[in-house]
Amino acid sequence: NTVPVVTVDGPGGSGKGTITQMLARRLGWHLLDSGALYRLTALAARRKGVALDDEAALVNVAGGLDVTFEPTPAGEPVRVILDGEDVTGDIRTEQTGDGASRVAVIQAVRDALLQRQRDFRKAPGLVADGRDMGTVVFPDAPVKVFLTASAEERAQRRYLQLKEAGADVNIDHLLDEIRARDERDMNRSAAPLKPAEDAQVIDSTGLSIEEVLSKVMTLVGQA
Ligand code: C5P
């Protein structure tokens, strides 16, 4: 496959979601939000009454996801439809994020989602957001970015996001959750979160979205 891919991996709250959406729009390329697939697996499992440690049943849920991603106007989150129902808001809750990081440790679940992710690679190009885009899913991507930020900064960003959405949140609790999720993502044996050897690491702590975006655009232009 010669279609170009930009992979953006990194921990939750590093700004990957915002950066990849803006980048895909600017380049006019497709966007893969791979985290959404793990979130959808956790959400669909909960709705079907499947336990998050029932591997065989989870593989079926992941393999049989009936999902569509509908484009939205700039600045709005992509609309996500699961089994005909709009779950755009439901997949973003902390509960679903926590469930996602639990199903994501299961190698067979990851395998069940692999081809679905690769199918997003269509002309004129793809921007792929996740944890293992550069290491496992698109190892031949010409541009790989690993986006980080301090845990404190990520907690602060998530806090502002949730508060804006009207949620009642506690920043210390968010920081604990972010640390727990990092721990699980980095120390699992199945596709642990780490930069690909050929990835460019960008630390977004203290940088604006525009500053990060312009660094990534420069890398894309050089490729
Ligand atoms: O990025 P997001 O917060 O939506 O991802 C939710 C969870 O899904 C992550 O904490 C991680 O455990 C898992 N994930 C993954 N591989 C990816 C994307 C997400 O394991 N490529």
Side-chain angles (χ1 to χ4, degrees), residues 9-13 16 33-36 38-39 91-92 96-97 100-102 104-105 110 117 129-133 137 158 181 184-185 188 190-191:
D9 290 305
K16 279 178 307 153
D33 172 5
S34 60
Y38 291 94
R39 287 171 180 271
I91 62 162
R92 295 295 150 205
T96 308
S101 80
R102 290 173 194 278
V105 303
R110 307 194 70 85
Q117 296 176 74
D129 166 347
R131 302 289 188 291
D132 62 344
M133 299 297 97
V137 182
R158 178 91 16 124
R181 183 104 55 94
R184 199 150 53 221
D185 287 352
R188 68 188 179 202

Side-chain angles (χ1 to χ4, degrees), residues 54-65:
D54 184 344
E55 295 203 12
L58 286 171
V59 168
N60 280 330
V61 172
L65 282 179

Side-chain angles (χ1 to χ4, degrees), residues 190-211:
L193 173 65
K194 62 157 195 264
E197 262 173 43
D198 50 350
Q200 305 283 334
V201 178
I202 299 178
D203 184 343
S204 72
T205 311
L207 296 184
S208 68
I209 290 165
E210 265 312 316
E211 286 170 318

Side-chain angles (χ1 to χ4, degrees), residues 44-52 54 57-58 61:
R46 176 151 31 99
R47 293 187 168 182
K48 290 181 204 295
V50 168
L52 294 187
D54 184 344
L58 286 171
V61 172

